[in-house]
Amino acid sequence: MADHADYEAVIGLEVHVELKTASKAFCSCSTAFGAEPNTQVCPVCLGLPGVLPVINRRMVDYALKVALALNCSIAPRCKFDRKNYYYPDLPKNYQISQYDLPLAAGGYLEIEVDGQARRIGITRVHMEEDAGKLIHQGEALGPGAYSLVDLNRTGVPLLEIVSEPDLRSPEEAYAYLTALKAVLQYLDVSDCKMEEGSLRCDANVSVRPRGSTAFGTKTELKNMNSFRALQRALAYEIGRQIEVLLHGGEVDQETRMWDEARGVTVTMRGKEEAHDYRYFPDPDLVPLEIDPAWIERVRAELPELPAERRRRFAEQYGLPAYDAGVLTATRAMADYFEACVALYPQAKTVSNWLMGDFSRLLNASGLEVEQAPIRPEGLVELLKLIDEGTISGKIAKTVFEEMFATGRPARAIVEEKGLVQISDEAALAAIVDRVLAEHPGPAADFRAGKEKALGFLVGQVMKATRGQANPALVNRLLRERLQGP
């Protein structure tokens, strides 16, 4: 009897990315997020009669960067089309997009899942404008008493990046979206903030018997506003479709919405086909010809991208692959690491601190790397205090937390709180003798060959000195006394 393991998922993602240009795609209105509703609109983005749109050159620059970074072929000539559809938050009732002649196509993005590298095809990258925003007053997914319309977002430049249906699991979809976000952030073309809507993702998902090459009927999933929601929604929808087939039913082609609170997908509407949109070339915008010199200028401006930087970190700094992956996941963290290593060329030590205490405190405080109260110079000062024996590694962790909370320099905290490491041999010897006298059992255990007992005794000395004892000196003194006559 067939079960879920007899089916495989086929997933393609459509990612919408708001570009962080200062002005909108076809007018000079501001794109700043968070302004008072309906204060950043003009006749062009409202589509009033008699107005003419003008292409934002920076939007095209950014789109070219993304297309090149995704290994796409750039079309020498592309055009804008009107996608006709009733959008309650787009007053002109059509969206300027690209249909049959997009900016770029035929690229790929490399991802890694469970140590296995995979190349995911990019079908196309095209430019379009965003719609406005509806704010429903009532249930999140149900009919509200009324809805408010904010048109500030109307006309903000968007890229739609469509993948091939090459993804086979929610984990691969997650890895793809993570890798794509990293590329966009390295290019510095978008804020990629899902919570502000500048990165949005829809998924086309179907299932088919394992081994089959034919596609099943797909559904489109919307309303996934976080990476976790993407994974959960895909897992639910894949299971739902398999259950439908196992019970002899057929999957309907439709658009479904992810209900985060209930953990289910629900029908939103029947899926529209391209002919439903009645695309036609926008008569107000001339076709866009991309000069080869333009492409090469943009190509020359591309930064080192995440995959390249990950490989370089492993080779140049001798870091394990895991460290290199974590440190290059965001451009900000990679820059921070390299700023530290430029001042303190012990890469593994820096890596350990950034992946450990630094990341832990960032996560706990909800801050981004750029907002961290400790700059690279501050971390390096702390590491040098450890190296010169002024503080122990244990005390350094306490100092680091104080630095993160206050932004104050390490040396000032150490001096103010009297945290200087105790390296006076005579003073430590007295404490060691006292600890051995108080704990004869562990001392006897060590003499009997139980090496672990030494760790307990070291811990007691550190406790007695509030973590300020020089660990190396404590170890030596304990061994001398325990192994002596």
Side-chain angles (χ1 to χ4, degrees):
M1 185 175 178
D3 59 20
H4 284 222
D6 295 320
Y7 289 85
E8 72 171 0
V10 177
I11 304 166
L13 296 187
E14 296 176 3
V15 177
H16 287 90
V17 183
E18 276 189 359
L19 298 176
K20 61 179 193 181
T21 55
S23 57
K24 292 185 179 178
F26 303 107
C27 67
S28 59
C29 286
S30 171
T31 59
F33 180 81
E36 285 294 312
N38 299 311
T39 57
Q40 296 175 171
V41 294
C42 73
V44 173
C45 54
L46 291 179
L48 298 184
V51 297
L52 289 174
V54 177
I55 300 172
N56 183 335
R57 187 182 180 91
R58 183 59 61 86
M59 169 180 69
V60 184
D61 273 341
Y62 284 179
L64 286 171
K65 276 189 177 184
V66 173
L68 291 170
L70 295 177
N71 308 289
C72 291
S73 299
I74 308 297
R77 185 173 185 271
C78 64
K79 67 179 176 66
F80 288 97
D81 303 275
R82 291 186 180 182
K83 181 181 181 182
N84 293 279
Y85 189 77
Y86 176 69
Y87 293 92
D89 48 3
L90 195 60
K92 56 193 176 191
N93 273 341
Y94 65 83
Q95 178 190 29
I96 301 177
S97 183
Q98 293 191 294
Y99 178 46
D100 56 336
L101 292 178
L103 174 77
Y108 65 85
L109 176 64
E110 292 182 347
I111 65 170
E112 188 173 308
V113 178
D114 297 331
Q116 299 296 313
R118 288 207 58 213
R119 178 174 288 189
I120 306 301
I122 302 294
T123 309
R124 59 188 280 157
V125 175
H126 72 246
M127 297 174 283
E128 59 186 26
E129 62 180 345
D130 209 347
K133 185 176 181 182
L134 293 177
I135 304 162
H136 303 294
Q137 304 301 299
E139 295 294 328
L141 293 174
Y146 59 94
S147 296
L148 302 173
V149 185
D150 180 6
L151 298 174
N152 281 352
R153 201 173 67 178
T154 304
V156 168
L158 277 184
L159 280 190
E160 181 169 339
I161 303 167
V162 182
S163 84
E164 291 289 300
D166 291 343
L167 301 159
R168 293 289 173 268
S169 68
E171 291 71 29
E172 287 190 358
Y174 182 94
Y176 170 85
L177 194 57
T178 301
L180 181 59
K181 180 182 177 185
V183 168
L184 296 168
Q185 289 182 324
Y186 268 68
L187 294 172
D188 197 25
V189 298
S190 174
D191 291 330
C192 293
K193 294 179 179 176
M194 292 191 87
E195 69 277 14
E196 293 183 5
S198 58
L199 180 70
R200 308 194 289 273
C201 178
D202 301 332
N204 290 302
V205 55
S206 63
V207 298
R208 63 186 177 189
R210 204 168 285 281
S212 170
T213 55
F215 291 145
T217 303
K218 67 183 178 184
T219 60
E220 183 181 24
L221 297 186
K222 289 185 175 292
N223 196 45
M224 299 170 292
N225 56 10
S226 71
F227 283 46
R228 181 172 171 273
L230 171 74
Q231 268 192 299
R232 292 186 67 211
L234 285 172
Y236 176 87
E237 181 61 15
I238 291 167
R240 186 192 72 83
Q241 291 190 18
I242 293 175
E243 283 296 317
V244 169
L245 298 178
L246 287 174
H247 287 82
E250 294 183 355
V251 175
D252 294 325
Q253 180 168 334
E254 60 182 349
T255 298
R256 298 179 70 84
M257 180 178 284
W258 171 241
D259 185 334
E260 178 70 36
R262 295 164 55 202
V264 299
T265 64
V266 294
T267 298
M268 183 178 173
R269 60 174 183 255
K271 174 60 183 172
E272 297 83 359
E273 298 292 347
H275 63 261
D276 294 329
Y277 294 121
R278 295 172 291 115
Y279 282 99
F280 66 85
D282 192 304
D284 293 335
L285 290 164
V286 297
L288 186 62
E289 297 195 354
I290 310 292
D291 186 276
W294 188 358
I295 297 174
E296 293 313 309
R297 180 179 61 75
V298 172
R299 193 192 304 277
E301 294 173 356
L302 291 180
E304 184 181 36
L305 295 171
E308 301 166 41
R309 203 167 193 184
R310 185 168 60 248
R311 285 190 282 270
R312 181 171 64 80
F313 272 27
E315 293 171 6
Q316 180 176 345
Y317 300 114
L319 292 174
Y322 177 79
D323 292 40
V326 171
L327 295 173
T328 57
T330 66
R331 183 173 177 173
M333 181 64 95
D335 289 346
Y336 195 104
F337 169 79
E338 293 218 275
C340 290
V341 174
L343 301 168
Y344 184 84
Q346 296 188 40
K348 184 55 181 164
T349 300
V350 173
S351 173
N352 290 344
W353 275 88
L354 294 187
M355 293 196 305
D357 294 79
F358 187 65
S359 293
R360 176 177 60 80
L361 293 174
L362 281 180
N363 292 335
S365 58
L367 296 176
E368 301 292 335
V369 173
E370 302 92 321
Q371 301 168 311
I374 302 176
R375 303 316 305 159
E377 297 78 8
L379 174 58
V380 167
E381 181 187 37
L382 180 74
L383 298 180
K384 289 180 177 177
L385 287 175
I386 300 171
D387 287 353
E388 67 191 31
T390 302
I391 57 174
S392 67
K394 182 178 177 64
I395 288 293
K397 290 181 178 294
T398 302
V399 174
F400 191 72
E401 291 203 4
E402 179 84 11
M403 292 168 68
F404 198 93
T406 65
R408 298 180 63 213
R411 193 174 295 277
I413 294 171
V414 170
E415 291 175 354
E416 178 185 292
K417 295 186 177 294
L419 299 174
V420 174
Q421 183 168 258
I422 302 172
S423 295
D424 182 318
E425 185 166 338
L428 279 182
I431 297 171
V432 165
D433 289 340
R434 191 176 77 233
V435 166
L436 289 175
E438 292 172 351
H439 301 282
D445 288 344
F446 180 82
R447 292 190 178 101
K450 295 181 180 177
E451 184 73 18
K452 286 185 178 178
L454 184 68
F456 171 81
L457 295 168
V458 171
Q460 293 305 307
V461 175
M462 299 307 288
K463 183 178 178 183
T465 59
R466 295 188 304 152
Q468 290 176 250
N470 182 322
L473 185 52
V474 171
N475 268 275
R476 179 170 66 79
L477 290 172
L478 278 168
R479 285 185 181 279
E480 284 175 358
R481 280 156 174 73
L482 292 167
Q483 295 171 337

